[in-house]
């Protein structure tokens, strides 16, 4: 279990100098075991930091992050039963995605591992596990999986991309810093997505295309005029869609100029998280100053507006039919069906982590 | 900041108002994230001092004893593997002593109150050096923001108000230009601010994920945790001291 290094500012100085002793305290606490008589699910303990919807819209995966006791992935059925299966991991899950169709998940953990989990009877069991080359020293920021399930890509904290043919095969890495054009920001914001046709696209301040197999050779590099980097990315036919702030940008990868459309009119205010549906037909934006999430089609037509709650939205996921999942830092998960405006399809708060727990109702 | 639209407004005036509203909202976002970073930093600073006193010193003491035991084992056997273990134990003892030496002494501290958080957000919106382009203003902002951080950490709201008043009364706080120039400036500011917000979110996530914060959250959820760690380390210290005594070593 290990936290990130290279945090700037006074907070970074504190966490740097205390890292060794704090890690030893955590290890000792693990050995001594948790005191289960203590309340185990304080709100801040069970924050959600990542979420994903399955391609068929029947499942929601949500990754816990908070204290070391609250870690792992919840798989929630969206068939009305609200059944929950729980999979525990050794370290916090930073990002989660479905691996192909069905109920298999890949989770990137704080200690630099990618774990494949599968719904097995009443719980999520581990199927495969791979370690990123730099392990806990450079923890993952995001994970993505190809639709065919044969490839997983990980974006590390230092803006390095790791390609992992799944579940085995030689991995490759690429330092995006070499492609940086603004020069000054060591933590490049970027999004990335594998294509069904054997390529991986990474968009930061350039659009990069990689051969996802073999050595991960670079295939193309196109300039962008992003200021802060995209917050969501998706393939749509021969186009790559990227969201930056309130703008949706289409990159025609077979040639031509990118096309930009502003989705939020006028005083949209601050934009936080964003999500694009698997086929690029729906875009969801977290309007932080309005405490709302707005759902658009790619032409900019507003399809729905949902309340976001008082606490910050940590993760968004949206389906091609407009199904919208929202994970919040205070442990609430909310799923909105596209055509229901009165109340959400599902609203639940995380419970105390219970190792080996069965699928439970509610 | 932005007024009502009127039919007589030129298009660039309306565009400028829209952009200024967007900038206002982004500044609120930025200030909110900076306030969360400052609050967590203050929490971590306070917890670090407490953790060092209650647990860190025992780790350090135990490491010192283990290093002495490792040295004895090497001196008794002269075997290379014992030499390696000794070097490793010495290094560990040095590291934990250094970490303890850097930790500040615990001080009286209370979590920030809502009024303090609001004041700090205001300070972050106006003073943060990332929000200024001119080198001289950036330099002044760096100094003022450092002072605001310290005042916030100490819960000194009067000092925060004084810093804000001083900034607002400075000549640089007055700006005036034609609409076109202001529009360009606001657009550039918006782009810059989006980048700073993305960076600040990464910084906040890294602080939240740090080992010290994990330890802090566990200790907050389980008030007896540090006492249990302390008891276990004290037992380890007793055992190490007995082993030293058994070999006739002097403490």
């Amino acid at each position: 279990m290990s936290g990130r290094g290279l945090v700037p500012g006074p907070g970074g100085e504190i966490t740097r100098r205390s890292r060794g002793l704090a890690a030893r305290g955590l290890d000792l606490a693990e050995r001594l075991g948790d005191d289960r008589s203590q309340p185990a699910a304080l709100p801040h303990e069970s924050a959600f930091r990542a979420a994903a919807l399955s391609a068929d819209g029947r499942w929601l995966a949500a990754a816990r992050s908070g204290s070391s006791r609250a870690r792992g992935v919840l798989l929630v059925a969206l068939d009305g039963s609200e059944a929950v299966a729980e999979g525990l991991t050794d370290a916090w899950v930073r990002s989660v995605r479905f691996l192909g169709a069905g109920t298999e998940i890949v989770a990137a953990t704080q200690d630099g591992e990618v774990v494949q989990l599968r719904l097995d009877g009443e719980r999520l069991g581990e199927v495969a596990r791979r370690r990123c080359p730099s392990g806990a020293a450079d923890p993952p920021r995001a994970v993505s999986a190809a639709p065919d399930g044969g490839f997983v890509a990980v974006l590390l904290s230092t803006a390095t991309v790791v390609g992992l043919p799944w579940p085995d095969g030689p991995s490759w890495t690429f330092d995006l810093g070499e492609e940086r054009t603004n020069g000054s920001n060591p933590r490049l914001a970027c999004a990335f997505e594998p294509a069904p046709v054997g390529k991986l696209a990474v968009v930061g301040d350039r659009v990069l295309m990689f051969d996802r197999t073999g050595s991960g050779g670079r295939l193309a590099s196109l300039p962008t005029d992003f200021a802060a980097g995209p917050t969501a990315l998706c393939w749509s036919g021969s186009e790559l869609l990227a969201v930056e702030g309130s703008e949706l940008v289409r990159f025609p990868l077979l040639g031509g100029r990118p096309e930009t459309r502003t989705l939020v009119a006028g005083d949209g205010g601050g934009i936080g998280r964003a999500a694009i549906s698997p086929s690029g037909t729906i875009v969801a934006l977290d309007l932080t100053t309005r405490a709302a999430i707005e759902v658009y089609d790619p032409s900019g037509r507003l399809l729905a507006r949902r309340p976001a709650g008082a606490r910050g939205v940590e993760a968004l996921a949206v389906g091609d039919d407009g199904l919208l999942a929202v994970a919040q830092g205070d442990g609430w998960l909310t799923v909105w069906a596209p055509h229901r405006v009165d109340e959400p399809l599902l609203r639940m708060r995380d419970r105390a982590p219970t190792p080996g727990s069965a699928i439970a109702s509610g | 900041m932005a007024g009502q639209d009127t039919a007589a407004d030129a298009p660039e005036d309306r565009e400028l108002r829209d952009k200024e509203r967007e900038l206002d909202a982004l500044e609120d976002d930025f200030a909110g994230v900076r306030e969360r970073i400052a609050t967590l930093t203050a929490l971590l600073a306070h917890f670090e001092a407490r953790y060092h006193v209650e647990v860190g010193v025992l780790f350090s003491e135990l490491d010192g004893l283990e290093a002495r035991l490792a040295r004895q084992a090497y001196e008794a056997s002269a075997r290379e593997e014992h030499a390696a273990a000794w070097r490793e134990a010495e290094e560990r003892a040095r590291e934990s002593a250094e970490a303890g030496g850097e930790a500040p002494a615990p001080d009286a501290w209370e979590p920030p109150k809502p009024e303090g958080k609001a004041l700090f957000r205001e300070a972050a919106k106006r003073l943060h050096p990332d929000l200024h382009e001119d080198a001289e203003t950036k330099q002044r902002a760096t100094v003022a923001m450092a002072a605001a951080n310290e005042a916030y950490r100490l819960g000194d709201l009067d000092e925060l108000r004084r810093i804000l008043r001083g900034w607002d009364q400075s000549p640089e706080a007055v700006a005036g230009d034609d609409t076109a120039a202001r529009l360009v400036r606001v657009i550039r500011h918006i782009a810059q601010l989006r980048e700073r917000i993305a960076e600040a979110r990464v910084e906040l996530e890294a602080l939240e994920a740090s080992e010290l914060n994990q330890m802090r959250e566990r200790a907050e959820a389980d008030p007896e945790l540090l006492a249990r760690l302390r008891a276990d380390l004290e037992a380890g210290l007793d055992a190490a001291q007995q082993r030293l005594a058994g070999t006739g070593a002097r403490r």
Side-chain angles (χ1 to χ4, degrees), chain A residues 208-226:
Chain A
L208 299 174
M209 297 281 295
F210 297 93
D211 177 359
R212 81 181 208 196
T213 56
S215 63
R218 198 182 70 179
L219 300 174
S221 175
L222 312 169
T224 75
D225 57 359
F226 287 151

Side-chain angles (χ1 to χ4, degrees), chain B residues 98-120:
Chain B
E98 278 181 8
E102 287 182 87
D107 52 9
W109 182 84
E110 290 182 7
K113 294 183 170 59
E115 187 191 358
K117 290 187 175 195
L119 271 175
F120 185 83

Side-chain angles (χ1 to χ4, degrees), chain A residues 119-289:
Chain A
L119 184 61
D120 179 15
E122 298 182 330
R123 51 181 305 202
L124 282 174
E126 183 176 323
V127 178
R129 174 190 292 236
R130 294 193 70 174
R131 189 167 184 78
C132 295
S134 42
D138 190 3
R141 268 162 57 181
V143 67
S144 190
D148 61 13
F151 178 78
V152 170
V154 184
L155 175 66
L156 302 180
S157 296
T158 54
T160 296
V161 175
V162 180
L164 297 167
W166 199 264
D168 40 42
S171 65
W172 53 264
T173 62
F174 188 90
D175 179 7
L176 295 175
E178 295 173 6
E179 294 289 333
R180 202 174 300 138
T181 54
N182 62 15
S184 60
N185 180 9
R187 294 187 303 269
L188 183 71
C190 59
F192 65 124
E193 204 66 41
V197 289
K199 296 181 182 63
L200 170 73
V202 179
V203 179
D205 53 3
R206 298 185 75 79
V207 177
L208 299 174
M209 297 281 295
F210 297 93
D211 177 359
R212 81 181 208 196
T213 56
S215 63
R218 198 182 70 179
L219 300 174
S221 175
L222 312 169
T224 75
D225 57 359
F226 287 151
T231 48
L233 197 66
C234 174
W235 289 92
S236 177
S238 60
E239 290 182 322
L240 195 61
L241 306 186
V243 173
E244 193 208 32
S246 61
E247 292 183 337
L248 176 68
V249 185
R250 293 174 173 274
F251 294 98
L253 293 172
L254 300 178
R257 293 173 62 82
E259 178 192 318
T260 300
R261 182 173 296 277
T262 301
L263 297 178
V264 183
D267 60 345
I271 309 289
R273 311 292 180 184
I276 310 180
S277 68
S279 301
T281 54
I282 303 284
V283 179
L285 297 176
D286 164 28
L287 276 64
T288 54
T289 41

